[in-house]
Amino acid sequence: MSNTRVLLADDHAVVREGLKALIGGHPGFEVVGEAADGPAAVALAAELDPDVVVVDVSMPGLNGAEVTARLRQAKPDRKVIALTVHEERGYLRALLEAGAAGYVLKRAAADELVQAIRVVAAGGTYIDPALAATVVDPYVGRVGAAAAELSDREAEVVKMIAQGYSNKEIAAKLALSVKTVETYKARSLEKLGVRTRVGLVRYAAERGWLAPA
């Protein structure tokens, strides 16, 4: 099997060197490039086409959410992990809204990032365990009745959206048209009473759906 190819984006050279040594020290992982600012991260991702991009939330030029949004716009199935010191809900929300599939705190254990890369590369969503309550708690108790109203297919689509799959990928995996996937998504959002992907991620987190399909 080929290695999981990782691009690192952080404006601190010492941090990048440490991350490169950490990731490269695990079998099956390879750091293929490094960027010191947001625009460089976007350019290198287009050039190198890594499997996973690890971005710092606070970078010159473009911040982590802006980088994530641009990476996902250029390639909707791009896997992005935010690595940050920020534990505030607002940062997490912004990154999830932008399309990040992972959010890891810099204070986490060293192997936490490697685990996040492994999960995200396999198609899952990884939220630092220290922040799990941030995703779930504001939402618990608001979807119980609505959950029963989701059809099996709607639940399947919601699960895959929360895991980071694009509408096109979901359509291919479920043998549906993209238009049909969009319809299932719209119905699910209405039934759950949410308006964004963040709400779907919260719902999926509550139900233990963030592991790869």
Side-chain angles (χ1 to χ4, degrees), residues 4-212:
T4 297
R5 304 170 68 252
V6 181
L7 171 64
L8 299 176
D10 193 293
D11 58 329
H12 293 95
V14 173
V15 173
R16 293 198 308 273
E17 286 301 315
L19 293 175
K20 184 176 181 180
L22 167 66
I23 296 168
H26 285 74
F29 296 89
E30 177 187 4
V31 175
V32 296
E34 301 175 43
D37 56 49
V42 174
L44 278 177
E47 176 186 344
L48 301 174
D49 193 25
D51 299 308
V52 178
V53 183
V54 177
V55 301
D56 186 17
V57 170
S58 302
M59 289 189 296
L62 298 169
N63 64 35
E66 292 168 330
V67 169
T68 299
R70 295 198 183 195
L71 292 177
R72 295 274 294 181
Q73 183 177 28
K75 185 176 181 181
D77 62 348
R78 176 75 70 204
K79 309 300 183 185
V80 182
I81 295 174
L83 183 64
T84 178
V85 299
H86 300 294
E87 301 185 34
E88 294 85 352
R89 185 179 302 166
Y91 286 98
L92 176 58
R93 174 184 289 274
L95 267 296
L96 291 177
E97 286 279 19
Y103 196 94
V104 181
L105 297 175
K106 286 186 175 180
R107 67 173 176 80
D111 289 340
E112 202 79 42
L113 177 59
V114 174
Q115 175 64 9
I117 294 172
R118 183 177 290 112
V119 170
V120 168
T125 299
Y126 189 94
I127 306 297
D128 193 300
L131 296 175
T134 299
V135 178
V136 178
D137 283 353
Y139 202 58
V140 170
R142 291 172 47 203
V143 299
E149 299 175 7
L150 290 183
S151 68
D152 290 343
R153 183 62 90 184
E154 287 167 348
E156 196 169 14
V157 169
V158 167
K159 179 178 180 179
M160 296 182 73
I161 290 171
Q163 291 174 350
Y165 290 100
S166 67
N167 289 348
K168 184 176 181 180
E169 289 176 311
I170 295 171
K173 287 179 176 290
L174 300 183
L176 301 171
S177 69
V178 173
K179 182 66 175 179
T180 299
V181 171
E182 292 173 347
T183 298
Y184 280 127
K185 177 181 178 181
R187 288 177 182 172
S188 300
L189 288 169
E190 182 177 358
K191 287 182 177 181
L192 296 176
V194 298
R195 293 177 293 178
T196 66
R197 180 173 176 267
V198 171
L200 294 182
V201 172
R202 287 175 178 168
Y203 174 67
E206 183 195 11
R207 301 184 71 82
W209 288 354
L210 296 188

